[in-house]
């Protein structure tokens, strides 16, 4: 036995799972987005550095006049100072190696300050790249002629300034806020979803429990928008319905059986009482009448036994290959005496038809139908049996020109204990179970039984047995 109170509730589990899933997803997305942004920024910074050094070189090359062999020192100074504020410390030399402009000579303090700031910032923000100042020498040319050279000192492999780091930080902050908001929304949505799903599950479990306690009338009547849950609920509703039907059937059967037994028993008891009390002479006719009632009772009991057998053993059919034609002839032969007594003509026509079925049970079906035809047909009537063979089915048609069945009774004749006009059955002695047995057996074979009848003209019963081996 599972200890129910120790198990976590479905809703809690569902909320936890959804929250965890969303959390992991957001975490993965954040880490990926963050590392991608960082990488993109690094690539951008490296590219910027290359471009910057190229620009410095190109700008410097433009400050030399080939004709007069003079450097425009004022402009070189401007380029050098702007480069310095961008983090590049440069020295420009002429073609003879003399200093044209040197950032350190010009403003040592600013140079040290700029280099220091960059180094501190990078060591604080990007210690993992283990950067340091590198020096790069580039020859300056104009129209293919060497005009001098430049030495550039800058932080490598790349560096970012304060504004760029701030931009990256705010980008990460935005990402974090989006993640946090998404997580809160997901937890709320997960909770609502879990509640919605678990509500129907809890209600279904409650209904199942009530069914197991014997309340078969209960049904789930709300709407469910999840396919699997709706299937579960309709299965439970279906189960409750069939249990309710079974229960009703069981109750009805008990009342029906009691009712069926009471009439003959009362009659025998009152006859016997009258004889014991000396009110009636125990004449052979009276004893014979009692005997008939008792035979009717044992007939009813054996019919009930048959029905119980068929209904309980539906799944245990002893299937063999049966030729319906041969079986029909056998049954007709068995009942020959009965029909002869009433001076009837019974004909068997048609073709051989092989089906895979329980021979004894089919024998019972044909016997019931044929004996009904004999019972409910007046003397000198005609009964025809016909066997047909189609691709899918073996078919037997039993037709008589007897009293027929009123239209209003046709839908009910296969029900237990259903008899048309009690008075006409009194003399024929039927119990109203014969056709119920017929239907149960045919349905157990996957087949069907149909009836057509016209009151006063005769009846036609058609049974179909499928050939497919199941
Ligand atoms: P029973 O034992 O009373 O014959 P069945 O279940 O075999 O019970 O039949 C149910 C009722 O259907 C019968 O009471 C009878 O009135 C009617 N019935 C069955 N077969 C025929 C038939 N061939 N012709 C006329 N009535 C029939």
């Amino acid at each position: 036995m599972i200890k129910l109170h120790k198990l976590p509730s479905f809703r809690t589990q569902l909320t936890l799972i959804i929250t965890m899933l969303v959390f992991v997803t957001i975490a993965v997305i954040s880490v990926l987005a963050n590392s991608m942004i960082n990488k993109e920024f690094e690539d951008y910074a490296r590219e910027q550095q290359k471009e910057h050094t190229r620009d410095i070189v190109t700008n410097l090359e433009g400050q030399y006049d080939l004709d007069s062999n003079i450097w425009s020192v004022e402009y070189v100074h401007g380029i050098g100072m702007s480069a310095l504020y961008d983090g590049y410390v440069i020295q420009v030399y002429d073609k003879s190696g003399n200093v044209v402009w040197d950032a350190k000579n010009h403003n040592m303090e600013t140079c040290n300050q700029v280099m220091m700031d960059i180094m501190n910032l990078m060591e604080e923000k990007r210690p993992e790249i283990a950067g340091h100042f590198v020096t790069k020498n580039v020859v300056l040319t104009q129209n293919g002629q060497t005009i001098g050279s430049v030495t550039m000192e800058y932080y490598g492999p790349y560096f970012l300034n304060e504004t760029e780091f701030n931009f990256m930080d705010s980008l990460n902050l935005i990402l974090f806020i989006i993640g946090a908001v998404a997580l809160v929304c997901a937890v709320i949505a997960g909770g609502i979803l879990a509640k919605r799903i678990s509500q129907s599950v809890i209600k279904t479990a409650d209904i199942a429990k009530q069914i197991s306690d014997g309340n078969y009338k209960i049904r789930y009547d709300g709407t469910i928008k999840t396919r699997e849950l709706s299937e579960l609920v309709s299965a439970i509703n279906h189960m409750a319905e069939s249990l309710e039907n079974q229960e009703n059937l069981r109750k009805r059967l008990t009342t029906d059986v009691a009712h069926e037994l009471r009439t003959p028993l009362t009659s025998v008891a009152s006859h016997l009482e009258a004889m014991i009390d000396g009110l009636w002479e125990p004449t052979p006719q009276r004893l014979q009448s009692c005997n008939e009632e008792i035979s009717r009772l044992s007939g009813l009991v054996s019919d009930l036994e048959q029905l119980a057998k068929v209904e309980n053993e539906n799944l245990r059919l002893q299937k063999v290959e049966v030729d319906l034609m041969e079986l029909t002839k056998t049954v007709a032969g068995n009942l020959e005496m009965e029909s002869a007594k009433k001076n009837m003509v019974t004909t068997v026509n048609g073709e051989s038809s092989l089906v895979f079925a329980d021979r004894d049970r089919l024998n019972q079906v044909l016997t019931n139908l044929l004996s009904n035809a004999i019972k409910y047909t007046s003397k000198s009537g005609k009964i025809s049996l016909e066997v047909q063979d189609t691709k899918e089915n073996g078919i037997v048609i039993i037709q008589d020109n007897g009293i027929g069945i009123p239209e209003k009774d046709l839908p009910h004749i296969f029900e237990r204990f259903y008899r048309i006009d009690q008075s006409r059955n009194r003399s024929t002695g039927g119990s109203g179970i014969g056709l119920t047995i017929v239907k149960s057996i045919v349905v157990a074979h996957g087949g069907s039984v149909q009836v057509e009848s016209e009151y006063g003209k005769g009846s036609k019963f058609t049974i179909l047995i499928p050939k497919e081996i199941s």
Side-chain angles (χ1 to χ4, degrees), residues 372 375-376 400 405 418-420 424-425 430-432 434-435 459:
N372 272 355
K375 252 195 295 189
Y376 302 111
D400 63 61
I405 303 166
Y418 193 87
R419 285 170 305 197
I420 302 155
R424 78 173 184 179
N425 280 282
S431 60
L435 287 181
S459 314

Side-chain angles (χ1 to χ4, degrees), residues 405-422:
I405 303 166
E407 209 179 325
K408 69 169 175 48
D409 294 304
L410 273 179
H412 306 291
I413 56 167
F414 294 101
E415 289 171 14
R416 267 194 197 99
F417 300 118
Y418 193 87
R419 285 170 305 197
I420 302 155
D421 183 4
Q422 301 284 336

